[in-house]
Amino acid sequence: MLHLGPGVTLERALDLSPFTLPFDLLFPGRDIADLDGARDWLAPLHVDFAAQTILLDVQSHVLRIGDKVILIDTCVGEHKHRPRRADWHNRAATGYLDRLAALGLRAEDVDVVFCTHLHTDHVGWNTRLENGRWVPTFPRARYLVGEAELAHWLAEEARAPGEANHGCFADSVQPVLDAGLMETVADGADLCCGMALEATTLTVTPTPGHTPGHRALTLRRRDVTALLCGDAIHTPAQLYRPDWYSRFCSDGPLAVATRRALLQEATEHGHILVPGHLRGAMGMRVHPLEAPHGDVWKPEWL
Ligand SMILES: [Zn+2]
């Protein structure tokens, strides 16, 4: 657990750990040897140099502000038809809801589900299968997503129903829309309204590039600022190679610009960064590192 100030805590619930991606799949055309200078803090948790793989955790972050519970991203889920990726396909008995219970949370305790973006490994537990129908897993929650993100995937779904994004829109987004539980949030919106905790804001922050409407949440609690930044930093390897965008980014150069801005601002102001797939640590502060190939950072794990 990470304490972010009086009455504010951050925890995580794992769904899939590790999620292993071939280096060449995530970063086509790049050379894993170019991470050698960061081997001491990337291996073995984040990069397996021998196997040439990147290791991620697929997890939800649980942010408690006073008595409110905000769940950020909902992983892969169960019983989802994902034949193109074996470790996502038709999963069962994953223990995810038990891990939420171990944090003292029942599904009905979640007040807000925030989707940083609508990729398949971030929306799966939005829904669960009940009597052959997809129903919202968190029945009391408001599910929130950035306006541009929902608009993008609605258009993709209309263009090729059931094809984009492993088909996750139909089973993990549309049922929540149909239940009237999902709404879009504008940039800069403060999700803390009504939470009655002084000197605290939780604002929707544009972080585009990984997807067109990717959004982070910025928590400010007195003198602490933490950014729950989803896939804007996909792996800590991108601290050492911030110019490496992934195969899954919709606009690579924009994703790089977003990441550099996040890292520069976090350095300048001591912000805490919480990447969605971060393993081992809850978050990190970042520090500039001298290196021959330009702007480079290293983490201070939290
Ligand atoms: Zn993603």
Side-chain angles (χ1 to χ4, degrees), residues 234-251:
H234 214 138
T235 154
Q238 290 169 316
L239 301 191
Y240 196 69
R241 292 289 178 175
D243 55 325
W244 285 9
Y245 51 84
S246 85
R247 175 191 292 270
F248 308 114
C249 291
S250 63
D251 183 335

Side-chain angles (χ1 to χ4, degrees), residues 261-271 286-288 297:
L262 280 180
L263 290 166
Q264 279 159 2
E265 207 179 332
T267 304
E268 199 172 320
H269 301 289
H271 293 168
V286 294
H287 303 283
W297 284 266

Side-chain angles (χ1 to χ4, degrees), residues 58-93:
V58 180
Q59 60 197 339
S60 298
H61 284 95
V62 176
L63 180 63
R64 292 184 210 242
I65 301 178
D67 63 356
K68 300 295 184 190
V69 177
I70 299 116
L71 187 74
I72 296 120
D73 290 339
T74 65
C75 315
V76 174
E78 288 186 357
H79 309 299
K80 304 279 160 108
H81 188 70
R82 310 283 184 247
R84 285 187 282 135
R85 185 149 284 152
D87 47 1
W88 293 358
H89 185 52
N90 282 338
R91 300 169 79 227

Side-chain angles (χ1 to χ4, degrees), residues 117 119-122 210-211 214 231 234 248 277:
H117 62 302
H119 273 166
T120 315
D121 54 330
H122 293 256
H210 179 65
T211 59
H214 189 286
D231 286 1
H234 214 138
F248 308 114
H277 293 295

Side-chain angles (χ1 to χ4, degrees), residues 201-275:
T201 57
L202 182 65
T203 50
V204 177
T205 307
T207 43
H210 179 65
T211 59
H214 189 286
R215 295 296 180 262
L217 286 178
T218 302
L219 172 82
R220 291 195 179 82
R221 173 71 172 133
R222 296 187 177 164
D223 54 354
V224 172
T225 298
L227 270 94
L228 294 122
C229 57
D231 286 1
I233 300 172
H234 214 138
T235 154
Q238 290 169 316
L239 301 191
Y240 196 69
R241 292 289 178 175
D243 55 325
W244 285 9
Y245 51 84
S246 85
R247 175 191 292 270
F248 308 114
C249 291
S250 63
D251 183 335
L254 183 58
V256 169
T258 289
R259 183 164 40 258
R260 282 187 186 282
L262 280 180
L263 290 166
Q264 279 159 2
E265 207 179 332
T267 304
E268 199 172 320
H269 301 289
H271 293 168
I272 295 168
L273 296 174
V274 182

